[in-house]
Amino acid sequence: MKKKILIITYSFLFSFMAFSQELEIHEIKLKDTILKSTISDYIKETKTFDSEFNHIGYIIVVIKGLNNYNKEKDIFRIYNIYDSSYPLEKNDQDIMYPNYYTYVDDKLVLIYNDLNKEVFDYTFSCKSKKKMRTLMETFLSPKIKSKDLPKNKLERDFIKDFREQYVRFRHTELIIIKDKEPIVIKNVH
């Protein structure tokens, strides 16, 4: 009996500890002026060949390396910059959610730190994920209207949350090297 109570107590404590370690997705201000200007350039360039990007889409920045990632060449930081129109869904895994977000030129910028994902196993709070989905909504195409849904119930259920999305097979890579001009590689496939 005591063993059962002890197991239940430990289970409760571990589940409480797991719950208390949920993280929030925070808004940040970008200090890195090179990164900020590169994101701004990416936004302007994308808007020139895709007018839809004026209204639909957001930016993703993935931090690939920090602090002398490659000591021989003194590479300090590596960023990959993408654009996307995909919504985050309620049932998406935590790895799909960004660590941080900010705004550049009135565009939402989601920042993912790949280094954290390699080292830590963490979860975001439901409240934080819901807030992120709400923030994204203004940068996504509208969902299909109910009047445009098919009459057939199976088809209607299948596409009720449908919205137009796109995939671009390009991104910009920004490499910042100690005491040298940053390297911006555009249209990486």
Side-chain angles (χ1 to χ4, degrees):
M1 179 72 169
K2 285 183 180 181
K3 195 174 189 179
K4 230 182 206 181
I5 292 174
L6 190 60
I7 290 172
I8 292 171
T9 305
Y10 279 128
S11 297
F12 176 75
L13 285 174
F14 283 121
S15 64
F16 179 75
M17 286 172 53
F19 176 75
S20 66
Q21 291 181 355
E22 288 185 337
L23 301 175
E24 300 299 314
I25 302 169
H26 294 284
E27 181 175 9
I28 61 167
K29 301 288 182 202
L30 284 179
K31 287 172 128 181
D32 190 330
T33 56
I34 297 168
L35 175 61
K36 191 172 183 176
S37 69
T38 305
I39 293 169
S40 182
D41 290 346
Y42 184 93
I43 291 169
K44 289 173 192 158
E45 179 184 300
T46 305
K47 285 180 177 182
T48 61
F49 69 80
D50 182 1
S51 61
E52 285 294 311
F53 192 66
N54 288 308
H55 313 288
I56 297 170
Y58 56 92
I59 298 294
I60 295 173
V61 174
V62 180
I63 303 170
K64 302 299 281 182
L66 286 175
N67 298 329
N68 286 335
Y69 183 78
N70 181 348
K71 291 186 183 245
E72 289 178 18
K73 295 184 182 173
D74 291 325
I75 295 177
F76 280 158
R77 295 182 296 278
I78 300 172
Y79 303 104
N80 287 339
I81 303 166
Y82 306 81
D83 58 288
S84 180
S85 70
Y86 280 94
L88 289 170
E89 302 292 342
K90 183 177 183 177
N91 295 329
D92 282 345
Q93 295 179 358
D94 289 282
I95 198 165
M96 300 298 291
Y97 284 85
N99 301 92
Y100 311 100
Y101 71 94
T102 191
Y103 295 90
V104 174
D105 298 344
D106 298 322
K107 277 287 187 189
L108 178 65
V109 178
L110 306 183
I111 301 172
Y112 294 81
N113 186 344
D114 273 5
L115 302 175
N116 281 351
K117 292 175 182 170
E118 291 175 11
V119 177
F120 304 110
D121 186 21
Y122 53 84
T123 57
F124 292 112
S125 71
C126 291
K127 180 181 172 185
S128 188
K129 291 193 283 189
K130 183 177 181 180
K131 178 183 173 186
M132 180 52 55
R133 290 190 306 272
T134 303
L135 288 172
M136 289 181 79
E137 193 61 38
T138 57
F139 297 93
L140 303 174
S141 63
K143 290 182 181 178
I144 195 168
K145 294 177 176 52
S146 54
K147 68 178 178 75
D148 296 328
L149 289 171
K151 303 292 184 231
N152 179 320
K153 183 178 177 1
L154 289 176
E155 290 178 50
R156 188 172 58 241
D157 288 347
F158 178 71
I159 64 170
K160 69 180 178 188
D161 290 332
F162 178 79
R163 61 173 87 223
E164 193 175 327
Q165 301 168 8
Y166 63 82
V167 176
R168 279 197 235 291
F169 295 103
R170 66 181 265 282
H171 73 275
T172 293
E173 187 164 85
L174 171 63
I175 302 171
I176 299 178
I177 302 173
K178 182 179 178 180
D179 301 327
K180 293 187 180 180
E181 286 293 314
I183 300 169
V184 178
I185 306 168
K186 294 185 179 188
N187 300 324
V188 177
H189 300 281

